[in-house]
Amino acid sequence: MKIKFLYISFILLSAIIVSSCSDMRVDVKPAPEVGVHKEGIINPNSPNFHGVLIQNINWNLKECQNCHAADYSGGVTGANCLTCHTQPNGPEACNTCHGDFNNPAVIAPNKEAHFKHLYTFSNGKQVECIACHQIPSNFNSAGHIDDTQGAEVIFSSLSLAITNESTTQDYDAGLPLFTPNPSYTKTNQTCANTYCHGYFKNGNTDNVVSFTAGSNGAKCGSCHGNAATGDPLPKTSAQGGTHPNATSCNSCHSGVVNLVNGQWVIADPTKHINGLLNIFGQEREY
C-alpha cells in the first residue's frame, strides 16, 4: 500500500513538472549588465560625461577613488583612469580642470585674461598664477576645493610691488610711498589698485581694468597716462603731474620701448611690468 502511494505521488509530481515545462518561455532576454554610470560617461560631448559629473559634485575625486582605486588604476571596476589621464598626477593634474587636457604645459583656461596673462602676453613679463591666486601644493590642499564657487583671488607677488621707497636711487621726496592695495570685484570682474595696472610712481593709480574686456593689450595710457585726457604718456610736471618733462619714452627707457610707425611699442617684454625701473640702460628698484 505504501509503495502504491509513493508510485501515485511520483506520477502526479511528474505530470506537474511536465505541465509546468510546457508553459516555459524560451524568448526571455538575458538580464542587462549592471552599470554605475549612464551611457556617455566617456564621451566629452555627452551631458553624462564624467567631467560634467565630477563638476556637479564639486570636483570630489574621492568619489572616483571609491571604485577606481586611490591611484586611479582601475580598482574594482577594472577601468583604468590613467589610460586617458596620462599626465603626472593623473586626474589630479592642474590641466584636467584648468587648462588644455591634451597639453599638460597649459594650465590656464583659454578664455578671458587668463591665457593672455600666462602665455600670450607681449607687453610685459609673463604673469604667474601666484600673482592672483594661492597655489595649492596638491589637489587636496586646504582651500583648493571648497564650498566657495570659483577660484578665490588672493593677490601677492608682482601685484603688490611697492615703489618710491626712500632707500632707492630714484626716490622722490615730493611723492608718497606707493603701496598697492589690490582688489577684485567679482560682480563685474574688475581689478583695481594693482602695481601691474598702474599703481606705481608716476602711474595711473586710478586705473580699473576689466578681466573680460578681451582686449589684445592695454594701451600705454591706461597705466602710464593721464586718465582724464586719454593721453598715452605720463602726466609731466609741466602738466601738473609727477613725471619728468620728457615725452620721448626711449630717451630714458632705451631697450624697453621703441617708436614704431608713430606708436610706442614694447621692445623687450622682460623689462616691462617686472617690478623694477628700467632707465638709462639700468634695471633698478624704484
Side-chain angles (χ1 to χ4, degrees):
M1 185 70 180
K2 184 175 181 181
I3 294 175
K4 184 177 181 181
F5 175 77
L6 291 174
Y7 177 76
I8 294 173
S9 298
F10 174 76
I11 295 297
L12 290 174
L13 180 61
S14 298
I16 291 173
I17 293 174
V18 171
S19 176
S20 300
C21 291
S22 66
D23 292 334
M24 184 179 296
R25 296 183 60 186
V26 295
D27 61 343
V28 177
K29 296 180 180 180
E33 293 183 6
V34 177
V36 175
H37 301 301
K38 296 180 180 179
E39 183 179 355
I41 192 67
I42 60 173
N43 180 2
N45 298 317
S46 171
N48 297 323
F49 181 54
H50 64 280
V52 177
L53 172 64
I54 295 167
Q55 182 179 9
N56 290 340
I57 60 174
N58 196 28
W59 315 105
N60 184 4
L61 292 183
K62 290 183 179 179
E63 292 293 327
C64 304
Q65 292 173 314
N66 286 338
C67 298
H68 293 272
D71 61 356
Y72 307 101
S73 60
V76 297
T77 70
N80 189 342
C81 305
L82 305 179
T83 301
C84 296
H85 294 272
T86 58
Q87 60 272 41
N89 298 323
E92 296 180 9
C94 297
N95 68 308
T96 297
C97 305
H98 296 286
D100 184 346
F101 180 77
N102 296 313
N103 186 356
V106 178
I107 58 172
N110 190 7
K111 62 179 181 179
E112 300 164 348
H114 272 119
F115 200 82
K116 176 170 286 294
H117 275 79
L118 267 72
Y119 303 111
T120 62
F121 190 38
S122 60
N123 288 335
K125 183 181 178 181
Q126 177 181 326
V127 181
E128 298 181 353
C129 302
I130 196 172
C132 303
H133 301 289
Q134 180 178 335
I135 309 303
S137 59
N138 59 66
F139 184 84
N140 293 312
S141 293
H144 182 212
I145 306 297
D146 53 30
D147 295 330
T148 303
Q149 186 176 6
E152 294 85 355
V153 176
I154 304 174
F155 293 103
S156 64
S157 183
L158 185 64
S159 61
L160 299 174
I162 298 172
T163 57
N164 201 40
E165 295 191 76
S166 60
T167 56
T168 59
Q169 181 176 343
D170 301 285
Y171 171 66
D172 187 339
L175 296 176
L177 180 68
F178 290 84
T179 305
N181 183 25
S183 64
Y184 175 73
T185 303
K186 192 171 184 178
T187 52
N188 61 3
Q189 293 185 282
T190 58
C191 293
N193 303 320
T194 66
Y195 161 81
C196 319
H197 292 285
Y199 202 93
F200 48 78
K201 184 173 69 174
N202 299 322
N204 180 5
T205 57
D206 296 324
N207 189 28
V208 177
V209 293
S210 170
F211 195 79
T212 59
S215 170
N216 289 327
K219 304 300 181 183
C220 299
S222 63
C223 298
H224 294 281
N226 186 342
T229 63
D231 191 334
L233 300 177
K235 192 174 182 179
T236 65
S237 55
Q239 298 169 321
T242 61
H243 191 272
N245 290 316
T247 57
S248 181
C249 301
N250 58 359
S251 295
C252 300
H253 304 288
S254 59
V256 181
V257 59
N258 286 327
L259 189 63
V260 179
N261 297 325
Q263 299 289 327
W264 291 108
V265 296
I266 300 301
D268 186 348
T270 65
K271 296 179 180 180
H272 188 227
I273 319 178
N274 63 357
L276 299 170
L277 175 63
N278 289 273
I279 187 170
F280 306 130
Q282 298 179 350
E283 192 171 59
R284 56 202 192 204
E285 293 183 354
Y286 73 120

